[in-house]
Amino acid sequence: MSLTTIAGRLRRAITASSSRTTQWPDSDVSATSARHSRLKSSTTASTRNRGPSVSASLTKILVSRNWLGDEGATVLCDALRESKVTKVQELDLSSNDIGPEGAKAVAAMAAVVASVTKVLVGQNRLGDAGATILCDALRENKMANVQELSLQNNNIGPVGAIAIAKLCSVSSLTQLNLSHNQICGVNYYDQGTYAAEGIIAIADALKVNTSITSLDLSSNEFDSDGAKALAP
């Protein structure tokens, strides 16, 4: 197993500018939400009028950096879930202003569509609630077949990390990206209260998981105790 676990403080000294470009400043998130609010009504209504339809030949749906929001993500994921012909293997919903409500639709789809093996929902606003909804659904449904899961930059803290750890302990995940979150309760600017239970839960899950080959925990601000917990 290869672990990408660059500690936050060391990262700043080495690549101070690189991770800043992947963080979403509050102003960017606000702008995304505002534009989504202007567009979502007409776009969603138009899509619903056409009804759900998924081509049987599609194996990838890549719609990152759009303005889907919760409603758009729900329309798309419901169509995939209800389709009797879908062969979609990869769904990329990164950077779409998706929150916990949208996560419910992603979870419902990924939990029952066995062809889906890769789900990318990074750079959204899932938070602990959305991460827990998604991971619990994948863990509790035997039809779920997701092997690559990307949750980077979603404001996930210790609570969400524990839900992710529970998934890791029982699933066949091979790749997991949790970079640029706050799984120890502290963000990039050292705001928050440090708590080690999230990183410890993930470390414990790795001791029983035999399938994960790639784990990215970059920019999560954990300290030497976190590194010790992860040490093989």
Side-chain angles (χ1 to χ4, degrees):
M1 172 170 32
S2 64
L3 298 179
T4 306
T5 55
I6 304 173
R9 292 161 183 77
L10 178 60
R11 168 183 50 76
R12 283 185 216 150
I14 298 175
T15 57
S17 62
S18 61
S19 60
R20 289 182 184 273
T21 61
T22 62
Q23 294 286 329
W24 275 24
D26 291 342
S27 58
D28 287 352
V29 174
S30 298
T32 299
S33 300
R35 183 167 181 181
H36 171 249
S37 296
R38 293 196 298 271
L39 298 178
K40 68 180 180 180
S41 297
S42 60
T43 301
T44 303
S46 175
T47 304
R48 283 177 175 166
N49 289 338
R50 289 197 300 271
S53 178
V54 179
S55 170
S57 62
L58 277 177
T59 59
K60 293 183 179 182
I61 298 179
L62 312 178
V63 289
S64 64
R65 290 192 171 277
N66 283 294
W67 311 99
L68 299 187
D70 290 337
E71 290 190 50
T74 299
V75 169
L76 178 56
C77 289
D78 283 356
L80 287 172
R81 178 172 54 83
E82 295 166 5
S83 173
K84 299 183 183 300
V85 298
T86 183
K87 297 177 183 176
V88 170
Q89 300 171 10
E90 177 179 348
L91 178 61
D92 186 353
L93 294 169
S94 305
S95 304
N96 266 292
D97 192 35
I98 298 169
E101 284 301 312
K104 292 179 182 178
V106 178
M109 179 278 300
V112 298
V113 181
S115 64
V116 174
T117 60
K118 185 174 182 177
V119 176
L120 310 178
V121 286
Q123 292 186 316
N124 282 294
R125 49 180 181 83
L126 301 188
D128 286 336
T132 300
I133 289 168
L134 178 56
C135 291
D136 283 356
L138 295 178
R139 175 171 56 87
E140 295 168 0
N141 288 272
K142 293 182 178 180
M143 289 184 64
N145 192 34
V146 175
Q147 298 171 23
E148 182 174 347
L149 179 61
S150 179
L151 295 168
Q152 87 273 15
N153 206 353
N154 263 292
N155 296 316
I156 298 171
V159 173
I162 291 172
I164 294 166
K166 290 178 181 179
L167 171 63
C168 290
S169 66
V170 298
S171 74
S172 58
L173 279 176
T174 60
Q175 298 182 57
L176 177 61
N177 187 347
L178 296 177
S179 63
H180 300 283
N181 281 295
Q182 296 92 48
I183 62 174
C184 289
V186 180
N187 66 16
Y188 177 80
Y189 302 101
D190 290 328
Q191 297 171 329
T193 301
Y194 190 90
E197 58 261 33
I199 190 67
I200 290 174
I202 290 174
D204 288 344
L206 293 177
K207 294 175 182 177
V208 297
N209 181 289
T210 59
S211 61
I212 289 183
T213 60
S214 177
L215 172 64
D216 192 344
L217 293 172
S218 305
S219 303
N220 268 282
E221 313 304 323
F222 58 84
D223 59 17
S224 58
D225 289 337
K228 291 175 183 176
L230 287 168

